[in-house]
Amino acid sequence: MKQFRPVRGHRAAARGLPGSPVARLVAALAALVAGLVVVLVPGTASAAPVCKVDYTTNQWPGGFTASVRLTNLGAAVSGWTLRWTAGTGEQITNAWSAQVSQSGTTVTAANVAWNGSLATGGVADFGFQGTWSGGLATPSDWSLNGVPCGGSSSPSPSPSPSPTVDHSPSPSPSPSPSPSPTVDHSPSPSPSPSPSPSPSRSPSPSPSPSPSVTPSPSGCSGTGLVVCAGFEDQSGTPSGEWQVTTPNCSGTGTATIDTATAHSGGRSLRINGGGNYCNHIFASTTKNVSGIAPVVYGRMWVRHTTALPSGHVAMITMSDSRDGGKDLRIGGQNGALQWNRESDDATLPEQSPSGVALSAPLPVNRWVCLRFQIDTTQQAMRTYLDDQEVAGLRVDGTPTTDVDSQWLRRSTAPRPTTFRLGWESYGSDSDTIWYDDVALGSSPIGC
């Protein structure tokens, strides 16, 4: 009897051997799945921003100050170093609330002891002063602890192009293959790396322009001011309307009339302020300042050689008859201008990092117009540098955190009765200061 043998092709097809219709279908599906895996892998995502920097400047011919607010958008850090590129003609001369160094156009700012720890969303404020020529650039390449910030302007990441994939099955003679299922090959959208919005606190406000006033001339003719001095009638040691005084204690400081440096005319008052406590030296006007009311307006041109130190110093003092004769003082601390009240050591602004950032340094090696106004009927004061108001040196009667909350703990408005120009150091800091075209009166005085 003849034995039946199965057809080889059928057995091969049943086993799915190479070349069979089943094998070809399996291979096609495998290729399709492999293609889908490739397509569904998204392109390399852009790194999330690690920081945001708000940068504002106040400039004048040849010089500028900058306020910098660093917001940490990454993981918490216990210390920070911010680096950027300055313009080719820029040179930083001093800084506050950070240790700032410069090599060529590369600038590095590192935290100081009290502002190194930044939680996610934490903020550090600092500032610096410098010179420029040719133009003042706005930095754009900030990096935090060696990593580019990437979030200064919150850019949207460019989408990665989807890889080109051939979805066709391997060549096969099989007729009419089953249609491939419909698949969305677009990668799932990656979450936007844009960080949460910046902290609610806005960066240091730009100084408001001073109110419109009719500028008084540098001289005293026709101004009607109670005090107006260009020191042109003085020589040697101040005398007559200006008397040398050493309140509290005296040291090596001197007050003289300088004929080599002046803002206008040929003379100015020069103060050589010594370091260490008890180097107090002032020239005091003999005019009746107590008669100026209801607002005491002051203006003077100031020039000095050494940046304001981190320690407390005073340069202008006024006895306050409503505070037991204790002094109102204009000086500096933490590298920026401040008002200080002798009776309780209250400061304006408060000496927090945010408060200091709202003040400004006193530029060095150039004449600066310094103006102030003190209301004797209510707690209200304003201060200006070169006719721009310093935001942190304003008292408006409403306590503002980091500005005048501490100052307004005393509700009584001051009543200045004296006016002195000089130097008090409460540490080892010294300076050389010139004053010229000094004026006090009861009407606004321009620069």
Side-chain angles (χ1 to χ4, degrees):
M1 182 177 176
K2 192 171 182 180
Q3 186 177 4
F4 175 78
R5 294 180 180 179
V7 179
R8 293 181 182 275
H10 291 177
R11 182 179 295 173
R15 293 177 181 175
L17 296 178
S20 71
V22 173
R24 287 194 296 271
L25 180 58
V26 170
L29 290 174
L32 177 59
V33 171
L36 290 175
V37 171
V38 172
V39 172
L40 292 175
V41 175
T44 302
S46 299
V50 299
C51 60
K52 179 178 182 292
V53 177
D54 295 301
Y55 180 82
T56 57
T57 60
N58 176 28
Q59 70 180 92
W60 56 88
F64 73 102
T65 59
S67 296
V68 184
R69 166 160 288 198
L70 166 65
T71 303
N72 178 30
L73 301 178
V77 296
S78 58
W80 53 265
T81 298
L82 187 68
R83 185 170 287 112
W84 69 92
T85 302
T88 55
E90 296 175 24
Q91 183 63 49
I92 293 175
T93 56
N94 64 287
W96 54 97
S97 301
Q99 302 174 63
V100 181
S101 61
Q102 182 173 358
S103 177
T105 57
T106 300
V107 183
T108 302
N111 65 274
V112 290
W114 44 264
N115 65 359
S117 296
L118 289 181
T120 302
V123 173
D125 291 291
F126 67 94
F128 56 87
Q129 180 178 350
T131 60
W132 63 274
S133 61
L136 193 59
T138 298
S140 60
D141 59 341
W142 306 97
S143 65
L144 175 63
N145 293 342
V147 180
C149 279
S152 295
S153 57
S154 300
S156 300
S158 300
S160 302
S162 300
T164 302
V165 180
D166 182 3
H167 301 296
S168 302
S170 303
S172 170
S174 300
S176 304
S178 301
S180 301
T182 302
V183 181
D184 182 5
H185 301 296
S186 302
S188 301
S190 302
S192 173
S194 298
S196 300
S198 302
S200 58
R201 182 176 178 84
S202 60
S204 304
S206 301
S208 304
S210 63
S212 177
V213 298
T214 302
S216 300
S218 295
C220 297
S221 176
T223 62
L225 300 171
V226 174
V227 175
C228 194
F231 304 101
E232 299 304 307
D233 59 344
Q234 298 272 329
S235 63
T237 301
S239 60
E241 293 182 3
W242 292 90
Q243 296 290 318
V244 176
T245 62
T246 55
N248 304 316
C249 53
S250 62
T252 60
T254 60
T256 57
I257 301 302
D258 195 336
T259 58
T261 302
H263 172 255
S264 67
R267 300 171 190 267
S268 68
L269 171 65
R270 173 174 173 153
I271 302 292
N272 290 327
N276 298 316
Y277 185 73
C278 271
N279 267 301
H280 296 189
I281 182 71
F282 287 85
S284 177
T285 181
T286 60
K287 295 288 188 177
N288 183 17
V289 175
S290 62
I292 302 175
V295 178
V296 178
Y297 292 92
R299 179 212 67 201
M300 66 223 65
W301 286 86
V302 185
R303 183 186 181 104
H304 72 140
T305 62
T306 307
L308 293 175
S310 59
H312 177 202
V313 296
M315 299 172 292
I316 301 166
T317 65
M318 292 163 274
S319 295
D320 182 1
S321 64
R322 294 175 181 163
D323 197 11
K326 297 294 186 179
D327 285 342
L328 285 177
R329 304 185 281 206
I330 300 177
Q333 192 168 351
N334 287 315
L337 283 168
Q338 72 163 10
W339 283 84
N340 176 276
R341 194 162 53 207
E342 182 184 9
S343 61
D344 59 0
D345 207 31
T347 65
L348 178 73
E350 297 175 13
Q351 294 304 297
S352 64
S354 296
V356 172
L358 293 173
S359 184
L362 184 66
V364 297
N365 297 320
R366 76 171 182 90
W367 286 102
V368 182
C369 182
L370 174 63
R371 297 195 298 117
F372 64 83
Q373 58 192 64
I374 304 169
D375 195 328
T376 65
T377 66
Q378 60 182 330
Q379 279 281 29
M381 304 195 316
R382 302 178 75 171
T383 309
Y384 306 84
L385 277 181
D386 288 336
D387 273 342
Q388 289 190 319
E389 185 174 6
V390 182
L393 302 182
R394 182 173 185 175
V395 178
D396 59 8
T398 302
T400 301
T401 301
D402 296 319
V403 182
D404 61 355
S405 292
Q406 184 184 86
W407 194 266
L408 288 173
R409 291 172 188 169
R410 178 178 172 83
S411 59
T412 305
R415 170 66 270 180
T417 58
T418 65
F419 183 72
R420 314 181 196 99
L421 304 171
W423 179 257
E424 288 181 354
S425 175
Y426 305 95
S428 59
D429 303 296
S430 60
D431 201 353
T432 301
I433 314 166
W434 291 265
Y435 297 95
D436 203 355
D437 298 322
V438 180
L440 270 77
S442 55
S443 298
I445 310 168
C447 289

